[in-house]
Amino acid sequence: MLTSRRRLLSGVLLGSTAALLPIGARAASVRVETLLSQMTLPEKAGQLSCFNDEIRPVGAVFNPVIDPRGGDAMLADIRAGRIGMLFNGYGVAGARRAQEAALTSRLRIPLAFAADVLHGCRTIFPIPLAEAAAFDPDLSRRAARAVAVETTAGGIHWTFAPMVDVARDQRWGRVAEGAGEDVLLNQLLAAARVEGFQGPDLTRADALLATPKHFVGYGAVRGGMEYAAVDMSGAELRETFLPPFTAAFAAGAGATMASFTDFGGVPVSANRPLLTDMLRGELRFDGVCVSDYDADRELIAHGVAADEADAARLAILAGIDMSMQSGLFVRHLPALVAEGRVPLGAVDQAVRRVLTLKERLGLFDDPFRSIDRRAERRETGSVAIKQVAREVATRSIVLLRNDGGLLPLPRAGKRIALIGPFGADRANLNGPWSFAGDAGDGIDIATGLRAILDDPALLVVEAGSAIGESLPGGIERALVAARGADIVLLAIGEGADMSGEGNSRTDIIVPAAQQALAEAVAAVGKPIVVLLRHGRALALTGAVRDAPALLATWFLGEQTGPAIADILFGKVEPTGRLPVSFPIASGQQPWSYDRRSTGRPAPDSDPMTPGRSHWRDAPDQALYPFGSGMGYTRFALSALRLPGTVAAGAAVPISVLVRNIGTRTGSALIRLDVHDRVASRTRPIRQMKAFARVTLAAGAEARVALTIVGDALALIASDGTRQIEPGRFDCWISAGDETEIGGSFEVR
Ligand code: BGC
C-alpha cells in the first residue's frame, strides 16, 4: 500500500507535495511524514548522526578514535534520541541492547546498524580487487549474497560497500578495495555486488543495504596520495568515474557515501553541484548520502569552513544527509536552523531520507530484524560460506607467467622449498578492511600445500626474510632449503597493512629485504614459482620479474592456502585476469591500458623510438597490462564475424570461433576492445566493451558471441552531452595475451 503510493508519487504524476521538495526528492510514506511531524529539531539532528559503535566494538577497523564516550554513555544518547545509526559494531547480543535502548526513546525510532564489510564479515573473502580478477559478475553477486547472509546474522543491516572508485594509480592504497582500472568491469561488478548484498527484498532479515562509495572521483587523488585533492574534466568524470555509481544506483543501492577529498577546489562534503545537482538531479538518486568519517569537520582543515558550525552548515546544504562520527549535526543543526542559517526544509529532507531507509529495511515493522541468536550461530563461518570463499579465492588467482609449462606441479615426487615471509604466515592473509575476521581462522600457504601433497614431508618451509627487513641468518637458511629442493615457491610481496586506506606508496615494489632474498635464492638456479601477495599492481624487478612462473595471489582471505594449492597442482585451472595493469616502473603511475593517444605515439614494435612518447627509462607500456592472465591450456581464435555497418545507438553483434588447442580442458575469457578512429574528442587507444567466458575440452571449438550495447560507443562531447558520433571503429577480440583477432565496423 505504502509502496504503491510512493511509486505513484515518484512517477510522472508527481503530486503537489513532491513538487515542493528539492531536486531528486520524492515524498515519503505516511508513516515517515507522520513521524517527521512529531519530531523536535534535536531529535531530527540525532537521526542524522551516526557513530562508531562502542556498545559492541570490533577490534581492527582503520579509523582513528575520535571523541570516544564509552558504551554506557552511548546507550544514554540513544535513549535521548541523539543517534540515528551505529557502525562497525558486531554481534547480536550488543545489537539487541542498543536496539532496546532506541525503543525507549520518545518516538521509538529504531537504530540502523552499518559496518565496513568490504570482503567478508567473519569469513574473510579475497579483497575486492582480487575478486575482480575473476571477471565474473555472477560470482561477485553470489559472493556478496553469502557475505550478506553472514553479516546480517551478526546484527548488521547495512554495509559501507561496494567501493566503486575506478583506480588508475597503483600508488593509491585503496586500489585494493575496488574493481581496478577498467570502467566496464567496475560498472558490472558494482551492480552485481549491490544486487548480491541487498538481495531480492530489502525487508528480509538477510538483506544488507549497499553503499557504493566514495562519491565521486576519490580514485584520482593527485600523486596517488591518500586524501589528496582531485581535479578532473567534466568529460573524465562522466566517462570514467561516474558510470560505476550509475550502475550501482540502477541496481537499487539504498545509500551512498561522499568522498572526503577536495574536488576541483570544493571538498565533496561541501560540494553542492556534485551532491545535489548531480547526485539528486542528474542521477535521480533518492537514497541516503552519508558523509565519510569526520569528513564534515575536515572542511575546517581543508580551509573552507570557519568552525564546526560552519562545517555542519556547508555539509547539510551541499547534500550530506547523515554526518559520520564528528557529531557536528547533532551539536549544531538545531541552532543553525534557529538562527536561519540552515532552512528547516533541508533538515527535514535529510530526515525523510534516513527514515525512509529504515522503513525500506523493515525496521519500523520489526526493529529486531537481523538480531537473532540462532541465525548468528547458524550462519557465522558456515560450511556454505566457506565454500563460496574458497571458490572466489581460486578464481581470483592470476597466472602471469609459466615458462616451459612449469605449472601445474606434480603432487608427488618433487622436493619443494616454500621460501618467503608469507609461506607459513597467517597474519597477512586477509589484507585491509577485514572487519570482524580473525587472522587466526585463515589457512596459510604451507598448510594448504601439505593438505594436497602426496608426501607432505617433501615440503620444507623457510621464511628467509621478514616483510620489511631481513632476518638474522634468514637468507643462509633459505639457500640451504633451495639447494635441497627440486622446485622453489617464493611467497613474497606486501604485508596486510601496506595497502588499503592510508597506505599509499611512492614506490610500488617488493620490499627491498624480500627482493634481496629473491635474488639470492634465484642464484641457486632452481626453477622458481613466485606466489605474489599484494593489494595493488606492483612494479616487479630482477629475479621476481624474471622467475619462470608467476602467480598474482593478492590477499585471498581465509581460504588462501587451499586456493593456492588447487591452482599450483592443477586441481583447478587458473582463470583470473588482471583488473589492474602491472607497470614496468612505479614512475609510470597513473597509467591504464585505455589511456588516450598522444600526438607522438611510439610504435608498439619500437616503443623507445626517439622523439616519440615514452620515458627515458621506460616505454609507454605495462609489464602485464589489464586483462593479462593465462590458464594451463591455449586457445586459437578465427572466423571473426561482425557487421559492416550499424546504425548509431544500435547493438553491435560480434562473434568469433574459439578453439582449445592445448591438452587440458580450459576456460577462456574472450574480451572485446574498441577504438573510435576519428572523433570530436580524443578517445582511448582501446577500451573493453564486452567480455564472455567459454569452457572447452581439449580440441573442442565453439562460436562465442559478444554484443556491444548501443550506448557503449558514446562519448561526452565538448558541450558536455553524451553522443554517438558516426565513423569507423576498430575492434579486437582476444583470448589472452598473444591470441588476438581484429576488424572494424562503421557507425552510420
Ligand atoms: C573510509 C570509509 C569508511 C569509513 C567508516 C573512512 O575512513 O574512508 O570508506 O566507510 O571510514 O569506517
Side-chain angles (χ1 to χ4, degrees):
M1 180 66 202
L2 293 172
T3 323
S4 56
R5 178 169 177 267
R6 271 178 43 189
R7 267 208 201 111
L8 183 68
L9 290 174
S10 63
V12 246
L13 297 170
L14 281 176
S16 56
T17 333
L20 293 175
L21 300 173
I23 293 176
R26 59 180 176 183
S29 70
V30 173
R31 167 158 51 194
V32 166
E33 292 297 338
T34 309
L35 211 42
L36 185 65
S37 71
Q38 296 166 351
M39 291 170 80
T40 63
L41 248 180
E43 282 167 342
K44 290 177 182 177
Q47 280 305 307
L48 304 185
S49 302
C50 64
F51 300 92
N52 195 39
D53 194 333
E54 295 179 50
I55 299 162
R56 44 166 196 160
V58 293
V61 290
F62 173 80
N63 291 308
V65 179
I66 294 175
D67 302 336
R69 68 188 93 179
D72 288 341
M74 190 153 255
L75 286 167
D77 280 335
I78 294 168
R79 286 187 205 102
R82 291 167 61 80
I83 296 180
M85 176 260 271
L86 292 178
F87 62 93
N88 287 350
Y90 175 70
V92 155
R96 181 167 292 277
R97 282 172 68 208
Q99 197 64 299
E100 277 167 358
L103 295 180
T104 62
S105 66
R106 190 179 75 89
L107 291 171
R108 301 173 44 83
I109 300 176
L111 287 168
F113 300 117
D116 285 289
V117 175
L118 272 287
H119 57 114
C121 179
R122 287 282 299 168
T123 305
I124 302 305
F125 281 58
I127 52 169
L129 184 63
E131 188 195 279
F135 273 68
D136 187 343
D138 184 55
L139 182 73
S140 292
R141 192 178 297 109
R142 285 194 291 121
R145 187 86 290 272
V147 167
V149 168
E150 188 187 63
T151 304
T152 51
I156 293 164
H157 313 121
W158 173 354
T159 177
F160 296 147
M163 197 279 246
V164 303
D165 299 328
V166 174
R168 290 155 169 228
D169 193 325
Q170 304 303 312
R171 294 172 297 181
W172 187 47
R174 304 197 79 169
V175 169
E177 295 178 45
E181 73 186 44
D182 179 62
V183 179
L184 177 65
L185 192 59
N186 264 284
Q187 278 176 288
L188 294 174
L189 297 191
R193 285 168 172 161
V194 167
E195 288 161 7
F197 284 137
Q198 298 197 159
D201 174 1
L202 265 181
T203 64
R204 269 172 48 167
D206 66 0
L208 188 64
L209 189 105
T211 311
K213 67 184 186 184
H214 306 80
F215 193 83
V216 58
Y218 191 169
V221 283
R222 190 166 289 175
M225 191 187 77
E226 187 60 289
Y227 313 130
V230 170
D231 231 319
M232 67 174 74
S233 71
E236 171 94 327
L237 175 62
R238 286 191 157 74
E239 285 178 353
T240 303
F241 292 91
L242 216 46
F245 285 94
T246 315
F249 296 153
T256 190
M257 184 185 290
S259 162
F260 23 38
T261 56
D262 168 347
F263 189 102
V266 183
V268 177
S269 314
N271 196 316
R272 189 172 166 89
L274 285 180
L275 293 187
T276 296
D277 301 345
M278 177 172 274
L279 182 66
R280 306 297 185 182
E282 197 176 319
L283 304 183
R284 314 304 293 174
F285 177 69
D286 63 2
V288 166
C289 177
V290 60
S291 83
D292 204 336
Y293 194 85
D294 209 35
D296 46 7
R297 182 157 39 198
E298 290 179 5
L299 294 174
I300 301 170
H302 276 294
V304 296
D307 53 29
E308 292 193 346
D310 198 28
R313 180 185 67 86
L314 286 172
I316 187 111
L317 292 183
I320 297 284
D321 296 317
M322 198 172 226
S323 159
M324 188 191 293
Q325 192 60 26
S326 66
L328 259 53
F329 278 17
V330 76
R331 282 206 295 282
H332 297 290
L333 282 185
L336 285 167
V337 172
E339 292 158 10
R341 293 171 69 198
V342 167
L344 180 61
V347 174
D348 282 352
Q349 185 50 39
V351 176
R352 215 174 251 123
R353 292 194 187 112
V354 170
L355 296 181
T356 300
L357 179 149
K358 293 183 176 185
E359 182 175 59
R360 289 183 70 197
L361 282 169
L363 286 168
F364 288 115
D365 294 322
D366 178 10
F368 294 97
R369 65 148 276 190
S370 311
I371 303 181
D372 174 353
R373 271 185 193 284
R374 275 168 314 163
E376 187 179 44
R377 270 198 299 272
R378 187 181 64 233
E379 304 298 350
T380 307
S382 68
V383 174
I385 194 170
K386 284 180 188 296
Q387 265 166 8
V388 187
R390 179 159 175 178
E391 183 186 353
V392 176
T394 20
R395 299 279 310 276
S396 298
I397 296 172
V398 186
L399 175 61
L400 288 171
R401 184 165 177 175
N402 193 16
D403 290 0
L406 179 58
L407 298 179
L409 300 176
R411 277 194 222 181
K414 296 280 181 198
R415 293 166 301 160
I416 300 176
L418 173 60
I419 295 173
F422 303 115
D425 159 273
R426 292 198 164 180
N428 294 279
L429 301 176
N430 291 342
W433 286 121
S434 49
F435 192 55
D438 181 347
D441 291 346
I443 307 170
D444 58 78
I445 301 176
T447 306
L449 298 186
R450 286 195 189 103
I452 206 171
L453 283 170
D454 286 356
D455 181 2
L458 292 183
L459 179 73
V460 171
V461 183
E462 195 57 72
S465 165
I467 295 171
E469 65 258 11
S470 56
L471 289 174
I475 291 192
E476 289 69 21
R477 286 193 296 277
L479 293 181
V480 173
R483 286 189 195 110
D486 301 310
I487 292 158
V488 172
L489 306 179
L490 207 49
I492 54 169
E494 297 187 296
D497 63 356
M498 290 176 69
S499 60
E501 185 174 355
N503 291 300
S504 293
R505 301 178 66 193
T506 56
D507 217 359
I508 48 174
I509 53 169
V510 169
Q514 295 182 60
Q515 186 72 35
L517 171 69
E519 301 299 342
V521 169
V524 174
K526 298 295 169 71
I528 292 182
V529 181
V530 173
L531 305 174
L532 200 63
R533 184 161 297 178
H534 47 117
R536 51 162 65 81
L538 294 177
L540 306 177
T541 57
V544 181
R545 181 193 54 211
D546 300 336
L550 170 63
L551 286 166
T553 74
W554 323 96
F555 293 101
L556 294 176
E558 127 170 0
Q559 297 292 324
T560 299
I564 290 178
D566 283 352
I567 296 289
L568 271 180
F569 295 96
K571 198 170 152 195
V572 179
E573 172 85 6
T575 53
R577 300 289 184 268
L578 287 183
V580 281
S581 301
F582 272 54
I584 292 168
S586 302
Q588 293 176 304
Q589 299 298 302
W591 197 93
S592 64
Y593 83 101
D594 63 350
R595 65 216 182 277
R596 304 200 295 265
S597 179
T598 69
R600 295 188 183 182
D604 281 346
S605 53
D606 185 9
M608 298 303 277
T609 306
R612 298 264 144 188
S613 292
H614 54 74
W615 289 266
R616 191 177 165 77
D617 49 5
D620 182 21
Q621 288 177 342
L623 179 64
Y624 293 109
F626 169 81
S628 294
M630 51 184 160
Y632 292 146
T633 186
R634 288 185 324 143
F635 297 91
L637 302 177
S638 62
L640 177 69
R641 279 191 207 143
L642 77 173
T645 310
V646 292
V652 188
I654 299 183
S655 73
V656 69
L657 212 52
V658 184
R659 187 179 175 78
N660 183 342
I661 53 170
T663 54
R664 298 170 57 108
T665 297
S667 161
L669 186 82
I670 306 300
R671 159 180 157 198
L672 168 65
D673 285 15
V674 162
H675 167 66
D676 185 348
R677 273 195 204 167
V678 181
S680 60
R681 288 186 51 251
T682 55
R683 306 306 299 144
I685 56 173
R686 58 192 296 164
Q687 193 169 48
M688 185 173 78
K689 295 297 176 189
F691 59 86
R693 193 172 277 289
V694 59
T695 301
L696 294 171
E701 176 173 86
R703 179 160 285 280
V704 174
L706 296 152
T707 304
I708 305 175
V709 297
D711 186 57
L713 298 178
L715 54 76
I716 301 296
S718 306
D719 64 0
T721 61
R722 211 174 156 76
Q723 287 178 19
I724 300 174
E725 297 182 348
R728 186 149 285 277
F729 289 76
D730 297 312
C731 67
W732 301 268
I733 295 201
S734 58
D737 299 335
E738 288 119 47
T739 323
E740 187 163 273
I741 183 167
S744 70
F745 59 89
E746 186 86 18
V747 171
R748 270 196 318 267

